[in-house]
Amino acid sequence: MAAAKLLEVIDLQTWFTTEEGTVKAVDGISFTLHRGETLGIVGESGSGKSVSSLSIMRLIQSPPGQIVGGQILFYPKDGAAPIDLLKLSEEEMRQQRGNNIAMIFQEPMTSLNPVFTCGDQVMEAILLHQKTDKQSAKQRVLQLFEKVQLPDPERIFNAYPHQISGGQKQRVMIAMAMSCNPQVLIADEPTTALDVTVQKKILELMADLKKELDAAIVFITHDLGVVAEIADHVVVMFQGRIVEQGKARDIFLDPKHAYTKSLLACRPPLNDMLRKLPVVDDFMSIQQEESGTKTFTQKNESIADVLQKYRLPANYLQDRRAKLYQQKPTLEVKNLSTWFPKKKGFFGKVKTYTKAVNEVSFDVYPGETLGLVGESGCGKTTLGRSILRLNNPRSGQIFYKGKDLLEMSAADLKELRKEVQIIFQDPYSSLNPRMTIGNAILEPMEVHGIHANRSIRQEKVVDLLETVNLHADHLSRYPHEFSGGQRQRVCIARALALNPKFIVCDESVSALDVSVQAQVLNLLVELREQFDLTYIFISHDLSVVKFMSDRMMVMNQGEIEEMGYPDEIYKNPKQAYTRGLIEAIPQGFLK
């Protein structure tokens, strides 16, 4: 017997008015959600996924946005006539939100109020929608925190958002969404940038809660591995429209539309070795007309044909490794430790430390990419920052081309910055919002006196933008005028401005769409070959590290768990911790 309808979206249209004209963010989409079902909505940033979910919740801000047409029908559990959410008053819609339809927003840090404790924020939702007193509401919150497997619920209840981890914040958001037992749960990128192990627990938790409440989930993501793992049906969105939808197995095993094929092919494969990743252009030709609208034509390419085109030659890895490891190391790290004060006594004396990096030793060779992988808190970022002296190590030695970085003066370190650079995790926060991207790239050249005059430097800025596939007319734009992938390219251009030889890439693709991620990873590989660069590539995504790296180092609790060639570690991990990371990678039908 077919499951009952729970939500039906019919010809939904949500448009935005901008200086350039009307943007049809959602342009006539239709889909149905049944009770007990998980519906996955996938697509790149700008495809209309999040706007669709905000439209269902009636959270589109007007102006500039407006729902201009369509129906959103909610079917009550008691069998009563469906309710058209678009015809409800704001007060009536407020009763539906939280009670019947709830949402987990994409950014838990920005969705949670920093001046209220986590417990108070969840309790507020219960007090608003249910007739209960504060004591009963608090007990309900503690039960929810226990249900979403938060450690020490009482402590989390009294903690502020900045005092808990990203995974814990996401669990608080899930508890808030589930606080009134909704029938429809909309999850907008709820696992983006989370570790694979935390992500696995979050997905299992949501599946358990769906079953317990006899509810349904709309799961929005750009990660097809996650969708393949949890979704019953899939909707693929592109430029505000649905280009393909159907059962998850059918979509993943036999995609019909070129765009769906491109999203599947862009993922770094676990069981294949490629010299570059496929991108959307391999499957579609997209052209922008003078009116600003984009048109596309599908290419008659199969995923298998494109992958075959980019597969590594038979002896490539063997020849590359022989060339790399006959050289002297460019970086030698010996017994490096970086500790942070954890607990202080009455007189300010440190009693205990967090050993973020503890007695770590390894080498990096010229032209090599060393992948650094592990969960949040394992010490990856602290290790990268310690090598660059952005964190001061407690003990150990760091030799770069024979010079001990820990013995260098401030003047020598400034000189070293020309050669050793970092690409930070969040491109938006690492760019000055009041500075054009042209000046952001120009600034390090001026600080270090690179090139004879400003005119030559400006020419170099244009060259760098073109190197990272941006254009000269982008020079005068500000960071907020770019997409996430474009901002990351700006950060790469800025890192290249000083002609470095060694770059630490710290989670530089973790929050990007899979298609944009593929473009940035391909760019990093091309730049490595073009400029003879050496990378330390930090990521929690093991498939990305496997594609990028010559060798892989797995970290856990500040120490090295395992080190070796990525393909060998994937096939035969020696440590239980590494096996756990690999097993947590969501693949579903894509295995």
Side-chain angles (χ1 to χ4, degrees), residues 422-428 430-431 468 470 479 482-495 505-512 516-517 520-521 523-524:
I422 183 169
I423 303 168
F424 292 101
Q425 179 172 358
D426 184 353
Y428 193 73
S430 61
L431 291 169
V468 298
L470 294 174
F482 292 90
S483 69
Q486 288 173 322
R487 281 195 290 267
Q488 197 60 277
R489 290 166 188 267
V490 172
C491 289
I492 293 170
R494 186 177 61 178
C505 304
D506 185 11
E507 297 276 14
S508 51
V509 296
S510 62
L512 299 180
V516 178
Q517 175 182 274
V520 173
L521 292 176
L523 174 63
L524 289 171

Side-chain angles (χ1 to χ4, degrees), residues 116 164 268 377 394 519 557:
F116 290 101
I164 60 178
R394 177 185 176 89
Q519 294 171 17
Q557 297 182 349

Side-chain angles (χ1 to χ4, degrees), residues 291-482:
S291 62
T293 59
K294 290 181 179 179
T295 59
F296 67 89
T297 54
Q298 301 187 54
K299 297 178 182 177
N300 189 25
E301 293 276 4
S302 71
I303 295 176
D305 288 341
V306 174
L307 290 178
Q308 179 59 38
K309 183 169 60 174
Y310 293 140
R311 196 162 281 127
L312 286 174
N315 296 322
Y316 176 85
L317 288 179
Q318 184 179 347
D319 295 343
R320 177 170 170 80
R321 288 166 182 170
K323 179 184 175 184
L324 283 175
Y325 303 120
Q326 67 182 2
Q327 308 172 93
K328 283 186 177 181
T330 195
L331 180 77
E332 298 171 85
V333 177
K334 299 183 178 181
N335 303 316
L336 186 68
S337 294
T338 303
W339 298 2
F340 298 108
K342 185 177 182 182
K343 190 176 181 182
K344 294 185 178 181
F346 183 76
F347 295 104
K349 186 177 180 180
V350 178
K351 284 187 168 184
T352 58
Y353 289 89
T354 297
K355 298 180 180 180
V357 176
N358 193 38
E359 295 288 321
V360 167
S361 300
F362 62 93
D363 298 332
V364 184
Y365 293 82
E368 180 185 25
T369 298
L370 176 67
L372 189 52
V373 71
E375 298 173 287
S376 292
C378 73
K380 307 186 302 291
T381 295
T382 301
L383 176 56
R385 292 175 65 89
S386 297
I387 290 168
L388 296 170
R389 290 282 304 274
L390 298 175
N391 290 130
N392 285 319
R394 177 185 176 89
S395 61
Q397 295 175 299
I398 306 170
F399 292 99
Y400 179 73
K401 295 185 176 178
K403 297 177 183 177
D404 191 343
L405 303 192
L406 301 186
E407 299 295 326
M408 281 189 173
S409 65
D412 289 338
L413 270 177
K414 182 180 177 182
E415 191 65 24
L416 179 76
R417 301 285 185 224
K418 295 179 186 178
E419 196 158 331
V420 181
Q421 284 284 303
I422 183 169
I423 303 168
F424 292 101
Q425 179 172 358
D426 184 353
Y428 193 73
S429 62
S430 61
L431 291 169
N432 188 330
R434 293 187 292 272
M435 185 181 285
T436 65
I437 62 111
N439 286 332
I441 299 169
L442 186 74
E443 183 183 40
M445 289 190 275
E446 291 185 331
V447 168
H448 289 277
I450 303 291
H451 305 300
N453 55 53
R454 188 177 179 88
S455 177
I456 296 174
R457 289 174 195 141
Q458 287 176 328
E459 289 178 12
K460 179 65 175 175
V461 171
V462 173
D463 289 342
L464 287 167
L465 284 176
E466 290 176 350
T467 299
V468 298
N469 299 324
L470 294 174
H471 307 291
D473 57 4
H474 291 144
L475 276 171
S476 58
R477 295 189 188 179
Y478 290 87
H480 72 272
E481 298 180 89
F482 292 90

